[in-house]
Amino acid sequence: MEALADGSAEGPCDLLKNLRSEPGLLVRGGVEISSFRLTLPTGMGTRRGTDEAGFVRSVDLAVDRFHHDVLRAIEDSVAGKD
């Protein structure tokens, strides 16, 4: 997760697992955070087709993984389900 200030292309970032226990890692010198950027690195397949090793399938898996590992964890955290 990366915290961005207005007009800033980059900002402080850290792993979500670290930020759960130490959210202050994203705050720098009183700068007001205007948005966040979430990323999840993943492989993008080795073939063009839709088989298990294909690019399209790898994108589907990456979207599912991002939803499960990042978005659901944030939703649960906001809802107090830690």
Side-chain angles (χ1 to χ4, degrees), residues 24-76:
L25 294 170
L26 292 183
V27 180
R28 280 198 189 153
V31 174
E32 187 173 329
I33 297 171
S34 62
S35 62
F36 294 96
R37 181 179 297 141
L38 304 174
T39 57
L40 182 65
T42 187
M44 297 307 287
T46 57
R47 298 188 181 150
R48 295 177 110 185
T50 57
D51 62 344
E52 288 301 312
F55 175 77
V56 173
R57 179 71 179 140
S58 69
V59 172
D60 285 342
L61 291 172
V63 169
D64 290 343
R65 181 175 166 225
F66 185 82
H67 179 265
H68 181 268
D69 293 354
V70 178
L71 298 180
R72 186 173 295 162
I74 291 171
E75 289 170 353
D76 289 349

